[in-house]
Amino acid sequence: MKFILPLLLLVSGCSLKTLYPTAGATLGAGAGGLLGGPGGAALGGFAGAASGEVLKSEAEVRELGQKVEAITTGDVKSLIALEMEGQKGWFQKTIDGIYDILTLTSIATVLYFVFHFWYAKKLNKQKPTPS
């Protein structure tokens, strides 16, 4: 079951926001079925699908707001960048994620070594020299 969502995203090339209504209906119906039987499942499924549609349309409105702002200011470069962001496939998004992970790990490694150099210097100052 946990492999279905990544498989769907891999095959379809769609974003996660398109699956919000389906995921909301599934979770709502499951919770409603546990708490209220068949009537609760129907009500939970309806509520989940409605909330999924609201989340999906909220993400679309945010994207359209960025496009309208780029059009009104006449910023062609940002408009092209927004359109190209929507055209990225699974592979390109994965590569971008790997770059983000590498950046974070390199920052963590630098902080790790700086801390150890600082700590060794502090210990060396505290240690009395033998006479």
Side-chain angles (χ1 to χ4, degrees):
M1 183 69 183
K2 62 183 175 181
F3 298 111
I4 292 176
L5 181 62
L7 183 63
L8 283 175
L9 291 175
L10 175 66
V11 172
S12 65
C14 65
S15 65
L16 189 61
K17 69 181 176 191
T18 59
L19 298 176
Y20 284 164
T22 305
T26 303
L27 293 174
L34 287 175
L35 299 175
L43 186 61
F46 175 75
S51 63
E53 283 292 335
V54 167
L55 289 174
K56 178 182 171 185
S57 62
E58 180 183 334
E60 290 173 355
V61 166
R62 197 174 302 129
E63 288 177 2
L64 286 176
Q66 291 174 344
K67 287 180 185 177
V68 167
E69 183 179 336
I71 289 173
T72 56
T73 59
D75 192 5
V76 177
K77 287 184 181 179
S78 67
L79 188 60
I80 291 172
L82 285 171
E83 288 297 321
M84 290 304 291
E85 187 69 31
Q87 298 296 322
K88 284 186 178 178
W90 177 83
F91 185 75
Q92 185 62 39
K93 289 179 184 177
T94 304
I95 295 296
D96 290 344
I98 290 172
Y99 285 144
D100 293 340
I101 290 171
L102 287 174
T103 303
L104 290 175
T105 54
S106 63
I107 291 170
T109 304
V110 167
L111 290 175
Y112 176 80
F113 285 121
V114 166
F115 171 75
H116 282 286
F117 287 135
W118 170 79
Y119 189 66
K121 186 176 180 180
K122 182 180 174 185
L123 281 179
N124 195 18
K125 284 183 181 180
Q126 290 178 353
K127 190 176 186 180
T129 58
S131 356

